[in-house]
Every structure is written in C-alpha cells, then in structure tokens.
Amino acid sequence: MPPQLVPTPVPAHFVGPALRPERVERISDQRWLVWVGADQLVEREWGDGGRRGFLEGSAANRELTELLWERPWDFGVVGSVVLGAELVRWDPAGTRNRGVVQIAVPEVLDGVQRLGVLERAVADGMPVDRLRQSVVRLEVVTGPAVEVVRGELDAEDRRRNAATAQDELVRDPNLLRVMRQFRDDGVRFLVRRGEAREPYGDGGASGTCLTVEEATAALACLAPGARLEVAHAAGTAAGRERLWAERGQAAYRTVFNEHTEAVGVLRAVVIAREVRDVVGRMARGKRYGHAHLWRDAPQLVVWAVGRRLPLVELHREGRGPGAVDWDVMVGKRLAGLTETVAEELREAYARLRPTAGSGRRLRHEAVRGLEFWQAAMGACGGRG
C-alpha cells in the first residue's frame, strides 16, 4: 500500500515554487504525484535537466500546440512532466489530498517540450486563465531516485515500440464491424500486431483463422472496383503498410469500405489461397523459360483470375435464382480457371520478353514491377 499522506516537515530556509494542486499522492519517500492546472506551470523557472531544449518547430510540438489551443481540457489527458527536486513540502491546509505543494530546487527530467508548448502559447496570446482547463500530471522525485529516474528516462526511447500504420487499423469503423462479424461467426481475424499468427490457413482449435495481411492482399485483387496498382502494392509488406497509412483515401477504401462484409473478406482470402496453391504446384520443379513468373508474381495471377469472377457479388449473401454459388465456383471451377489464366500470363510474358531476360536477377525483378503487370494484362486483352 502507498504510504499514508502526511504533512512534510520543512526547514526554515525552504524556498521553492508553490503549487495548489487538484490532487496529491505520495508514492514513496522519494516520489510524489501532483495533478495541477497548467496555468501554474507557466512563467516559472524549472531548472535545467532535460536532454533537449524546446523544439519549437517540431511536428510533435506543432500538433501538441494545436491541441492546447483547440481543446485545452484534453492537453493533460496523457503525458506528464517529471521533475527532480532537493525537497518536496506538502501542506494539506485543512484539505484531503490537496493543499499546497512546494518544490525546492526543481529541475525538469522529462517534459521540456510540454512546458515549452505552454510557455509559447502564453507568449502568443493565450490567456493564462484559460490554461486552468488543462490539468497536467507532475511526477516529482527526490534523493537517489532522481538519478534512477533520469537513467530510465534516457533509456525509454530505446524501449519504445514505434507505431505503424497497421496499429491504426482498429480505429477504422468498417474494419471494426468486420471484426465483430467474424467474432460472431467463430472466425479468428487477426488485425493487431502482436496477436499470435497461426500457421497458414490453420485456425487450430478455434476454427478458421485469417490475418489482415492476407485479407488486404486478397481484397486488393478481388474487391469490387479493385485497381491493378493497388493490387500490385498490396502484394508486399511495405506496400500494405503504405496502403494502411492512407485510411480514408481512395486506394484504401477500395479494400475496406462501408460495403465490406466478413463473408466477402473470407471468400477473397479463400480464393487467393487457392490460386496461390495452384500456381505453386504448377511452378514446382520448373526452372526453365518463363515459368518463374508463377513463383515470383502470384499476386498477379490472383488479380488476373479475379477478372474472370463475378466480383460485384463478393460481399453479398447469395440467395434465390441467379445467385452466385461461391462454394461450387471455388470448389469445382477455380483450380481449372487458375491453370488457364496462369498459362495465358506465362505465354504473354514469353511474347513480351522472348528471352526471359539476360540474367536471373533482372528477370525476377522485372515480373514484380507494375509496368510488367500492366503490359502482361494488356497482352492478355486486359482479362488475364
């Protein structure tokens, strides 16, 4: 349990900034947590302890400044200012967990940027009184804890896991809706990084399992309105990351939008898996001519096969006369269709580059390029 909050004895010569916090918690003999209005943090000397000065022009500080001006009440929701001090004095002044806190010889261990944003906002005309809407958390440490905290803060940047575009996918309401649909159907749809990835196509005891990586690659080829350049990009990890980084843009919305349904996502993944399995078997053991196309550009084959499928029905539950029977299409027709399309692409490749290139590296790189994909589809009449 944390130590009981009791008034701190203070020497007669004690001098330091006095704060009237919203709340005070004493964590240990050497650590305090103090929640205080941001108006009490400006126009003060906090000493020099940070590794950097205020980076006025940084993108992070510009965004933090915008937050302060537009929504000051949210400025202190996350983040904190860490101070080292020679001594902390708390006088409860007859109140519980509030009163007055004085900090002797403070130095900023972390939070120079946050304090700098506050000072710059006041210099630019923000009334100090308005800063009262922002409650900032101070952590104050004294004694040996100062050097311990300073060292850990220096190491924190190395330990921080950098965010990626994939980490933002769970903020997409359309993708969240699909995740809920899969959950209701007992399907494991893995979107977040760090979730245990099952072996390819194996859902283990929980049944069907698919990942957002293969769903993105498949839908980029098979979603209604899919575009070749998007399908090409989604075939690589770097391309998918770029696609995910542009949520709300046309390319991303081709893949995940308000019409995307779990049933369609699953169909696309199943089709893409089957196409890749077929071309993988076709390419096995073939080390001659233009057959390397199947190994080096399976995503192109998925795209080309998709041009022969009724993709407008992908996300629809088929019922009644004339509805697409996807089970029959995938189970009985897809393998033969894939073989036909894959051969047509190989023949188009042979016509475009009869010698298959002058070197292994060059020809393998060529068939992975968007220009070749465009040329190969054109040579097949645009259908594959």
Side-chain angles (χ1 to χ4, degrees):
M1 295 182 62
Q4 186 176 4
L5 200 59
V6 296
T8 308
V10 57
H13 65 275
F14 187 97
V15 176
L19 306 173
R20 293 188 175 275
E22 298 293 322
R23 181 176 177 83
V24 182
E25 290 183 14
R26 189 172 184 178
I27 305 302
S28 70
D29 289 342
Q30 299 174 356
R31 294 183 61 203
W32 300 72
L33 293 180
V34 181
W35 285 264
V36 64
D39 60 304
Q40 300 181 56
L41 301 180
V42 295
E43 300 175 345
R44 292 183 183 272
E45 290 294 332
W46 292 110
D48 254 340
R51 290 179 295 173
R52 295 181 291 259
F54 178 52
L55 307 176
E56 184 173 0
S58 74
N61 285 344
R62 288 197 301 271
E63 185 171 341
L64 195 57
T65 299
E66 184 177 350
L67 171 64
L68 179 62
W69 280 92
E70 293 185 357
R71 293 180 284 119
W73 48 88
D74 289 334
F75 180 80
V77 169
V78 297
S80 61
V81 174
V82 184
L83 303 178
E86 285 190 3
L87 184 67
V88 176
R89 174 184 181 262
W90 171 70
D91 182 352
T95 62
R96 180 177 175 82
N97 294 344
R98 298 183 72 173
V100 177
V101 171
Q102 283 184 281
I103 305 170
V105 193
E107 64 168 331
V108 182
L109 303 182
D110 189 49
V112 170
Q113 308 309 316
R114 194 166 290 268
L115 291 172
V117 166
L118 292 172
E119 293 285 357
R120 175 54 60 188
V122 172
D124 289 343
M126 176 175 281
V128 174
D129 287 351
R130 191 172 182 223
L131 294 181
R132 291 176 184 168
Q133 299 177 71
S134 303
V135 177
V136 177
R137 191 182 82 157
L138 301 184
E139 181 176 351
V140 188
V141 294
T142 62
V146 172
E147 292 308 316
V148 173
V149 171
R150 194 196 309 274
E152 292 305 311
L153 286 169
D154 288 346
E156 181 64 16
D157 285 342
R158 300 194 303 272
R159 298 170 180 158
R160 185 174 290 115
N161 293 306
T164 68
Q166 184 176 351
D167 299 334
E168 298 298 317
L169 290 178
V170 292
R171 303 292 185 258
D172 180 351
N174 293 314
L175 197 50
L176 280 174
R177 174 175 47 78
V178 171
M179 291 169 66
R180 287 192 294 269
Q181 291 173 352
F182 274 128
R183 189 180 302 116
D184 292 343
D185 292 338
V187 175
R188 294 191 64 204
F189 183 36
L190 306 179
V191 174
R192 298 174 178 86
R193 289 191 305 154
E195 293 180 300
R197 261 49 180 169
E198 302 289 344
Y200 181 78
D202 180 12
S206 62
T208 304
C209 175
L210 61 153
T211 70
V212 74
E213 292 90 345
E214 62 178 340
T216 301
L219 287 171
C221 293
L222 303 171
R227 306 202 317 264
L228 180 60
E229 61 271 21
V230 179
H232 176 267
T236 65
R240 289 189 291 273
E241 186 70 13
R242 290 193 300 270
L243 181 65
W244 294 332
E246 297 180 347
R247 288 191 303 118
Q249 301 300 314
Y252 177 89
R253 287 183 55 76
T254 297
V255 180
F256 297 115
N257 55 61
E258 60 272 16
H259 303 296
T260 305
E261 300 290 337
V263 63
V265 176
L266 183 57
R267 283 171 182 159
V269 169
V270 169
I271 291 169
R273 286 178 179 178
E274 175 66 13
V275 171
R276 288 172 179 271
D277 285 347
V278 170
V279 296
R281 292 194 298 269
M282 292 174 67
R284 194 170 299 136
K286 294 183 175 62
R287 304 293 178 186
Y288 58 86
H290 299 76
H292 72 90
L293 170 68
W294 301 326
R295 292 188 299 273
D296 293 336
Q299 182 82 343
L300 172 59
V301 185
V302 177
W303 165 266
V305 169
R307 302 319 99 203
R308 308 282 182 94
L309 300 176
L311 299 181
V312 70
E313 302 290 331
L314 184 73
H315 292 295
R316 299 175 184 171
E317 291 281 8
R319 295 186 179 88
V324 177
D325 191 331
W326 288 96
D327 291 337
V328 170
M329 182 174 295
V330 173
K332 297 184 178 180
R333 293 184 48 206
L334 187 59
L337 175 63
T338 299
E339 291 174 358
T340 299
V341 170
E343 280 291 349
E344 289 179 0
L345 283 172
R346 188 191 62 78
E347 292 169 2
Y349 178 25
R351 293 194 299 273
L352 291 168
R353 301 187 64 178
T355 62
S358 57
R360 175 183 174 85
R361 180 180 176 185
L362 288 177
R363 69 172 182 261
H364 283 248
E365 287 181 353
V367 299
R368 295 186 178 112
L370 178 59
E371 289 186 3
F372 171 78
W373 287 30
Q374 293 168 333
M377 292 302 297
C380 291
R383 298 183 66 217

